[in-house]
Amino acid sequence: MKTVDAVIAKKKAGEKIVSLTAYDFISARILDEVGIDIILVGDSAANVFAGEKTTLPITMEEMLYHTKVVARAVKNSLVIADMPFLSYQVSVETAVYNAGRFLQVGACGVKLEGGKPMAQTVKRLVDLGIPVMGHLGLTPQSIHKFGGYKTQGVGEEAGARMLEDAKLLESAGCFSIVLEKIPRELARRITGAINIPTIGIGAGPYCDGQVLVLHDMLGLFEEFTPRFVKRYASLSEEMRNAVKQYKKEVEGGIFPDEEHSFD
Ligand code: KIV
């Protein structure tokens, strides 16, 4: 199993860190076999897996289930579980309890959203031996504060605030920070100013690593494709064609045939 120290060492060695999301056993096994450094059990499961409009409705119990099945598949990657809305904001004690539950089902650490207001929580978790990945920029659990999926950290003041937040998260003990949908020059500044890796999503080429939602890059999630997503396959199309062909063959009496049945 990969360690957080191994991930931090990649930044020091100038090697890019590769991360993708997974919510199920089969996907996690493929990502692990390919050598993905960090498998994030993202709360994007709310949108992508469960068809919700935002990440807010997903619960601890649902995230624990996704984390458990992902962790079961993984031999080498670092499995990080995303803490769902309300599982860490109410009190430090609740955050410790919920983060601990993720470790009990096989995660190696947790991710939570936010800067300064989360610093104390991050410190407590890390002091207790729970690795934490931060998340700044377009943090989807704050969608109603942002009023949409707009680029964050635009302008000198907002950029300086985010840089400050990144430094605070580093001091609090985060082992890495996801930077989502921010200007590439700000991502470059933050990456150069801290010693822990930055993992970009919509943050340009200067981060220490990159994460994407697996279903987005495979072309499986067709509802909405942000500009920062590059599609590496069109699996929805392929799935649709396969299902159409199956339907046609069953209706036409072509399948099942002798080859697929018994004497
Ligand atoms: O929930 C998620 O998948 C995430 C990544 C997009 C960073 O937080």
Side-chain angles (χ1 to χ4, degrees), residues 209-229:
Q210 176 67 35
V211 61
L212 280 179
V213 170
L214 181 69
H215 292 61
D216 285 342
M217 59 86 79
L218 291 180
L220 264 171
F221 188 68
E222 295 176 313
E223 272 71 3
F224 168 68
T225 309
R227 176 175 143 190
F228 57 75
V229 171

Side-chain angles (χ1 to χ4, degrees), residues 21 40 42-44 82 111 135 178 201 211 213:
T21 61
L40 176 66
D43 64 352
S44 52
D82 220 353
K111 174 169 85 58
H135 188 163
V178 169
I201 173 162
V211 61
V213 170

